[in-house]
Amino acid sequence: MDPLHEDDLAEPGILDPSMHARRPRLPEAAVLCFFPEVVAGLVKAGARRLTRLSSEREAVVWEIQVDGRPLAVVHPGIGAPLAAMTLEELVAMGVRRVVAVGGAGVLVPDLVMGHAVVVGSALRDEGTSAHYLRPGRIVDADPHGVAVLRQTLDAAGLPHVTGRTWTTDAVYRETPARTARRREEGCVTVDMEASAFIAVARHRGIRLAQVLLAADSLAGPEWDARGWTTAREARAGLTSVAARAALAMPNPS
């Protein structure tokens, strides 16, 4: 049988995120933060509870103030399907500008722990993006979002590169041969959500950028965690930059 290359991408789903439009209106700018301790710290510091998302994990959307401007913050959930569902619901409730911030595995040896990687493009090795975009191997990030994110990182004095990430659903199938092939295709990191985020954002017509914190390394012959669990300060700092970038982005035309 032929691969599943459906041609109904413009047709609304039977379950459409517009069902959430009557829930509380959210700020136009949002951060999707994959660092649970950073979200917990914002809550402890006085973040305001806005609403709870519909997924079974019961994610809460919080509001913080950055220079007097409101910003929504939520942990999007791990993996492309759940993260895409989170983004869909946020868009239905009024979010128009998003920066995602999280960690990623490193595929090249010259990315040191704590280095920021702006997602310039993603290799679509997950299943979710095919429900939003026509079949393709690579998807490019929104150049406007990338530019603002890079400018914000520059202003904060944080070293960063812009590169391609390999988005995959299967953590335990990152084989040496496949990893080598992805490196040959220009991938510098591996993650589980980026290509789906780009696809959803393009389909819904919103601004989105993503920054990844260089974490565990797949660049050598053995897996190397590189002290990932101790990088609290780096994760909090990068989230702060993501918040400023989300607020600085122009609304989509």
Side-chain angles (χ1 to χ4, degrees), residues 26-197:
L26 300 181
E28 291 188 344
V31 168
L32 301 177
C33 180
F34 284 93
F35 306 133
E37 85 286 354
V38 173
V39 177
L42 295 174
V43 174
K44 187 176 181 180
R48 185 169 71 96
R49 184 184 186 278
L50 293 179
T51 189
R52 187 181 296 275
L53 298 180
S54 65
S55 62
E56 293 182 3
R57 67 191 182 92
E58 298 185 339
V60 174
V61 183
W62 303 92
E63 180 184 277
I64 63 172
Q65 297 288 321
V66 179
D67 298 329
R69 301 173 66 188
L71 179 87
V73 180
V74 64
H75 189 301
I78 302 299
L82 185 53
M85 182 189 299
T86 297
L87 181 56
E88 283 272 34
E89 294 184 20
L90 294 180
V91 173
M93 289 184 276
V95 170
R96 306 296 292 160
R97 309 187 308 273
V98 177
V99 176
V101 56
V106 173
L107 301 182
V108 292
D110 55 343
L111 279 180
V112 300
M113 172 65 197
H115 206 111
V117 179
V118 176
V119 175
S121 61
L123 191 148
R124 297 167 59 185
D125 198 7
E126 41 69 42
T128 302
S129 64
H131 298 272
Y132 292 88
L133 298 177
R134 291 184 180 277
R137 193 167 185 83
I138 304 296
V139 61
D140 291 327
D142 175 7
H144 299 284
V146 169
V148 170
L149 184 51
R150 293 180 61 179
Q151 291 164 6
T152 309
L153 286 161
D154 285 338
L158 293 179
H160 60 91
V161 297
T162 300
R164 176 171 297 165
T165 190
W166 166 28
T167 304
T168 176
D169 290 330
V171 171
Y172 296 118
R173 294 303 302 152
E174 295 167 0
T175 64
R178 190 167 301 193
T179 300
R181 288 197 298 271
R182 299 298 181 261
R183 192 181 297 115
E184 290 171 358
E185 292 182 85
C187 297
V188 299
T189 56
V190 57
D191 80 291
M192 297 182 69
E193 301 87 13
S195 55
F197 278 152

